[in-house]
Amino acid sequence: MKKLGLSRASALTTIGLTLLLASCDVPRSTLNPAGPAAEKLANLEWLMIFIFLCVTFFMWVLIMWAMKRTRRGNFSEHAPIDIGGGQGWVTFGGFLFPFIVLTFLFVVGLRAMSSFPMGDNEKTEEPKPDILVIGHQWWWEAHYLQGGVDQHFTTANEFHIPVGKPVDIALESTDVIHSFWVPKLHGKVDLVPGQVNYIRIQADKPGNYGGTCAEYCGAQHAHMELLVVAQTPEDYQAWYQHQLQPGAEPTDPEAVHGKEVFLAGPCILCHTVRGTSAGGTVGPDLTHLASRQYIAANAFQNNKANLEGWVTHAQTMKPDAEMPNLSFFTGTDLRSLVAYLQQLQ
Ligand code: CUA
């Protein structure tokens, strides 16, 4: 190690860690792009890492060279060292070199940034988004806007998209600034109150692509997650048609009782289940809650225990969320209520 030198050891460690990060299938790594826009950004990232390594290497060579010269020469400790070249070094190293490198990166960066707006669409006409995503403290509301009004529906936190097809998303916020970020599909775009922003995502192969809110937005910012599920066109169509349906009518006696509990309780003030009298719009649409993999903006797995916990102790699981502790639901009522929610496929 001594012979290798600290600088070279740290440079090798950096290269090693970078390669490791790129080779592992890290679910949310920007270095593992899964769509064309993310690929553009990943290429930019690799280029920057490469240039950063070259510059670091060049600097260390210069430092080593200067140290060697100092030792060889017969200098007293505090005497100024003339390495020759005079002003040429200052002009090149202090101005020309950084100017060329930074200008190059700036231009390449600008080109990569062109992938952000929704292409030419934005310049020529009013954009027609496929999905309108609205940020809330702390969850994501999604309105699917394809086709006619009878083809529209609302869901939350889990967005399905067809593979190989660009999907245009309009981004709005009802409260504070959030930021939509699915690292493997694209960069970040903010959701700003009073303004509509756009992003175009595309996934090249089916899979789950995790995302998160990338702008600090309050107590539960870290638990404002989202999931993009990319499906084959057939699977996507099946999902889409299913989501258009009203909430499943329970047949099991426990779930039938659960529906009564649900409709008689305060749930309906905030939540919607299409096909019932529950029409609240404060919280996520629950029409197909059971078809989603997670609850509470993807902070918890969607299962019986977490649903019971969420209904009765939401403030413990996610303090400050809009969902209150409905701890008066106990025993049979609670079990029935969760049974009803779990059959909302
Ligand atoms: Cu929303 Cu951070």
Side-chain angles (χ1 to χ4, degrees), residues 169-248:
I169 300 178
L171 301 165
E172 288 179 16
S173 170
T174 52
D175 36 49
V176 297
I177 300 177
H178 305 274
S179 186
F180 183 93
W181 190 32
V182 185
K184 291 185 78 156
L185 299 183
H186 212 317
K188 304 166 185 174
V189 173
D190 283 1
L191 296 81
V192 182
Q195 183 181 322
V196 190
N197 286 340
Y198 297 94
I199 188 169
R200 170 177 286 170
I201 58 170
Q202 181 176 332
D204 290 334
K205 41 182 204 286
N208 284 348
Y209 301 102
T212 190
C213 176
E215 178 78 38
Y216 180 71
C217 56
Q220 292 300 331
H221 155 70
H223 295 139
M224 186 168 167
E225 311 236 323
L226 64 109
L227 183 67
V228 173
V229 180
Q231 296 177 297
T232 60
E234 303 78 50
D235 288 352
Y236 174 73
Q237 264 315 313
W239 175 84
Y240 198 99
Q241 293 307 320
H242 182 70
Q243 294 290 316
L244 285 174
Q245 305 301 314

Side-chain angles (χ1 to χ4, degrees), residues 9-285:
S10 62
L12 284 176
T13 313
T14 311
I15 297 172
L17 281 176
T18 311
L19 289 178
L20 187 73
L21 198 69
S23 62
C24 302
D25 192 23
V26 182
R28 293 186 187 181
S29 171
T30 49
L31 292 173
N32 260 316
E39 204 173 313
K40 246 186 189 176
L41 298 179
N43 288 341
L44 176 65
E45 220 169 317
W46 281 117
L47 179 74
M48 289 174 90
I49 290 170
F50 176 71
I51 290 178
F52 142 75
L53 285 173
C54 290
V55 171
T56 309
F57 181 73
F58 179 57
M59 292 315 293
W60 276 109
V61 168
L62 281 184
I63 289 168
M64 296 293 176
W65 177 65
M67 281 163 75
K68 253 197 177 135
R69 270 183 72 107
T70 316
R71 281 204 206 101
R72 239 190 288 130
N74 199 8
F75 300 111
S76 72
E77 215 180 310
H78 299 292
I81 300 162
D82 181 12
I83 58 164
Q87 275 195 339
W89 276 101
V90 178
T91 315
F92 176 74
F95 173 69
L96 265 182
F97 183 66
F99 180 78
I100 292 167
V101 171
L102 294 178
T103 307
F104 174 69
L105 282 178
F106 177 65
V107 172
V108 178
L110 278 184
R111 283 180 56 130
M113 263 170 66
S114 68
S115 68
F116 269 88
M118 297 201 319
D120 298 331
N121 207 353
E122 201 187 40
K123 290 166 206 145
T124 52
E125 55 189 284
E126 189 72 358
K128 286 198 192 67
D130 301 304
I131 312 174
L132 166 65
V133 170
I134 302 173
H136 295 264
Q137 282 172 313
W138 292 275
W139 59 283
W140 308 87
E141 177 180 353
H143 298 276
Y144 277 70
L145 303 173
Q146 293 151 37
V149 181
D150 58 335
Q151 295 293 302
H152 295 182
F153 66 86
T154 302
T155 182
N157 303 321
E158 182 178 312
F159 318 133
H160 290 227
I161 61 169
V163 284
K165 199 175 160 277
V167 176
D168 291 331
I169 300 178
L171 301 165
E172 288 179 16
S173 170
T174 52
D175 36 49
V176 297
I177 300 177
H178 305 274
S179 186
F180 183 93
W181 190 32
V182 185
K184 291 185 78 156
L185 299 183
H186 212 317
K188 304 166 185 174
V189 173
D190 283 1
L191 296 81
V192 182
Q195 183 181 322
V196 190
N197 286 340
Y198 297 94
I199 188 169
R200 170 177 286 170
I201 58 170
Q202 181 176 332
D204 290 334
K205 41 182 204 286
N208 284 348
Y209 301 102
T212 190
C213 176
E215 178 78 38
Y216 180 71
C217 56
Q220 292 300 331
H221 155 70
H223 295 139
M224 186 168 167
E225 311 236 323
L226 64 109
L227 183 67
V228 173
V229 180
Q231 296 177 297
T232 60
E234 303 78 50
D235 288 352
Y236 174 73
Q237 264 315 313
W239 175 84
Y240 198 99
Q241 293 307 320
H242 182 70
Q243 294 290 316
L244 285 174
Q245 305 301 314
E249 201 51 46
T251 47
D252 176 75
E254 194 181 33
V256 171
H257 176 60
K259 186 180 177 183
E260 289 164 15
V261 174
F262 178 78
L263 293 178
C267 317
I268 56 170
L269 298 173
C270 296
H271 295 286
T272 292
V273 173
R274 274 174 274 137
T276 73
S277 56
T281 53
V282 176
D285 186 300

